[in-house]
Amino acid sequence: MAKEGAQRAEETEQMIDKEGGREAAEGGAGGSLRAGDAKEMRAVVLSSFGGLNKLRVSKKAMPEPQEGELKIRVKACGLNFIDLMVRQGNIDNPPKTPLVPGFECSGIVEALGDSVKEFEIGDRVMAFVNYNAWAEVVCTPVEFVYKIPDDMSFSEAAAFPMNFVTAYMMLFEIANLREGMSVLVHSAGGGVGQAVAQLCSTIPNVTVFGTASSFKHEAIKNSVTHLFDRNADYVQEVKRISVDGVDIVLDCLCGENTGKGLSLLKPLGIYILYGSSNMVTGETKSFFSFAKSWWQVEKVNPIKLYEENKVIAGFSLLNLLFKQNRGGLIKDVMDKLLNLYKSKKIKPVVDSLWALEEVKEAMQRIHDRGNIGKLILDVEKAPTPLMANDSTETSEAGEEEEDHEGDNENKERMPFIQ
């Protein structure tokens, strides 16, 4: 352990020397850089909302920490389904472009802003970031940063915050999961789905019903109690096993699944919506898909909820963190989760590692629901030569090619290159 610590310290020293972080650290809080001293970094930039060709790896000015912030030399970044929706502009009040996507990362503390006392330069950390995570360097408020356990890798750390905090909040803070209860979770092979399954296993006699694409079943069959094909009539399958239904439904799909989920709830059961992936059908935002999904959502009648003793709720981790200022609550949850990790009761499932330049292919894998666990952007990974679409390429005219609305629905998908 001492040898590993020495190696990490030496690695950090070399990194700080290389990037000039020591000056920022010794000089106190980072304000703006002096003219002519600007340092650059690589970052994934979304030029405008739309298809995959709106993403490029570009050079950007390196940020410096303001008061209460940490500067992190990024090692790995998490890639989530919400990032696809951001790329399409398929979210409420999307930010202005160009922007750097990404909401979570892991790395090494490189500089401290004023009033930061809980961390030191060289600390291994993971963090939530309000955009800008997909870059070589990020700055984020200290309340969104957490130290990484010694035996947790950077890729595992980048796969940890979004998935496990979301799963924990829904199961324990909202649904009050207890011994003997039952849970239905969609996309059981994804990052949140696998986190839900692991957390359920920490409570005795919890029955987990999961839906997933059939090709994932062999890989995840041991993580849930009952597994169904995502395209099958899972309502009848669940009721065949449990006539009364389930206690908790976790829905990241929305659309027609809302009504199905509510119909499966036992009395005093709770349905939680935490995503709307059914609204993402093509490479670009589709008004038709949005309207169809919205039309399929069952209109909730409060009187019916009262009569049937059912509860409906929603959960958005990013809104809770960045709009509703509940960083303290999330820190308490992270402390509990890290204790579970240290006791080897939970462990992030990493699907695959991708270079920043391979972000398009990584996004396509999520869109095709091909992942089991979390996809990670590895900042230090060299791009695979076989990748057909380099994220740094432009058209022959030096401009980005435009998406042709409507073409994407009929376009044949290139197979994923393993």
Side-chain angles (χ1 to χ4, degrees), residues 70 72 76 103-107 125-129 133 138 140-142 144-148 157-158 161-162 322 334:
L70 292 176
I72 301 170
F103 298 101
E104 61 183 339
C105 66
S106 63
V125 297
M126 53 187 162
F128 290 108
V129 188
V138 300
T140 193
V142 67
F144 303 139
V145 183
Y146 318 92
K147 292 181 181 179
I148 300 175
M162 288 278 286
F322 302 125
M334 281 292 291

Side-chain angles (χ1 to χ4, degrees), residues 178-194:
R178 301 181 303 282
E179 181 177 355
M181 295 180 75
S182 55
V183 179
L184 169 65
V185 58
H186 293 297
S187 300
V192 174
Q194 286 293 287

Side-chain angles (χ1 to χ4, degrees), residues 12-13 16-17 19-31 33 39 63-65 69-71 109-116 119-122:
T12 305
E13 287 293 327
I16 293 173
D17 286 340
E19 302 298 336
R22 176 172 293 148
E23 289 81 3
E26 293 176 353
L33 293 174
K39 305 177 187 69
E64 294 298 327
E69 291 186 341
L70 292 176
K71 178 181 179 181
V109 175
E110 192 170 271
L112 312 175
D114 278 344
S115 74
V116 174
F119 294 88
E120 297 179 356
I121 294 173

